[in-house]
Amino acid sequence: QHAEAIAVFERAKALFPEYAEDESPYRHLAVAYKATGDLKRAAAELQAHTLLNESDYASNLALAEMLEQLGDRAGAAAALERAIWISPYDPAVHTRLAEHLAATGSHKKAVRERRAVVALDPVDRAEARYQLARALADAGDRAAARREVLMALEEAPSFEQAQSLLLELQRAGNTKP
């Protein structure tokens, strides 16, 4: 009965447009629109909700996921950045944000997020350092990339991707530490 629910929550939203707490009509509308397959309208409702309720971590993550499905990397990155301002301690959120930032050409911001992942002491430190090195190389800082890839190889000497990146950096002619 999603159509009936949508009508009721649209009326509630019209009556209380600034109400954006846990039981806000925006969140309910997002769920109903998503259930009907209208991901664009669901994302629009969550966007409106997160603009009114800046501290709703779960809604920002849900919005980012919807925008990812819609192919809106810049919008997903914005939602993930808001989520990180609310709770900065989840390496997976930083990783997702770094991927979106790199895909949109924001390489310096992607480096910032990769550094955050390393600072959060992930389980696979070698992978985190490799990803940071890759982001640094993409941002044009080959010397820092080389330092990071060497640290990744200290943690996991047989890490083939890191070895390949080191060779790639060596071939590029930047052998400074």
Side-chain angles (χ1 to χ4, degrees):
Q1 298 176 347
H2 297 294
E4 292 172 14
I6 288 171
V8 169
F9 287 119
E10 286 289 353
R11 178 158 160 66
K13 184 173 77 170
L15 290 172
F16 304 103
E18 293 183 15
Y19 183 72
E21 296 304 316
D22 288 342
E23 294 301 317
S24 91
Y26 297 98
R27 289 180 74 184
H28 289 292
L29 282 167
V31 169
Y33 283 127
K34 186 176 179 183
T36 63
D38 192 349
L39 211 52
K40 281 188 176 185
R41 300 248 347 236
E45 293 299 333
L46 273 183
Q47 181 74 41
H49 173 77
T50 58
L51 289 174
L52 292 169
N53 185 345
E54 297 171 343
S55 63
D56 190 341
Y57 181 75
S59 290
N60 277 299
L61 292 180
L63 175 60
E65 184 177 324
M66 284 182 197
L67 292 173
E68 287 168 355
Q69 291 174 8
L70 290 169
D72 182 359
R73 285 187 169 274
L80 291 170
E81 282 199 80
R82 286 192 304 272
I84 286 172
W85 278 103
I86 297 165
S87 179
Y89 301 109
D90 186 352
V93 177
H94 287 280
T95 299
R96 283 172 61 196
L97 177 55
E99 290 167 359
H100 289 301
L101 291 170
T104 59
S106 298
H107 296 294
K108 291 188 187 287
K109 287 183 178 182
V111 167
R112 177 194 69 201
E113 295 308 313
R114 294 295 182 185
R115 286 189 194 282
V117 171
V118 170
L120 288 169
D121 198 23
V123 173
D124 191 351
R125 291 187 54 78
E127 175 68 22
R129 288 203 176 274
Y130 164 75
Q131 292 296 338
L132 174 56
R134 174 62 61 197
L136 285 162
D138 291 344
D141 191 349
R142 295 204 176 274
R146 185 172 184 273
R147 283 192 299 274
E148 286 299 328
V149 79
L150 286 171
M151 285 191 257
L153 287 168
E154 283 178 12
E155 303 227 8
S158 62
F159 188 4
E160 289 183 26
Q161 289 177 303
Q163 292 171 349
S164 296
L165 179 58
L166 182 60
L167 287 173
E168 180 184 318
L169 292 168
Q170 291 287 75
R171 286 186 193 116
N174 189 353
T175 58
K176 298 176 203 168

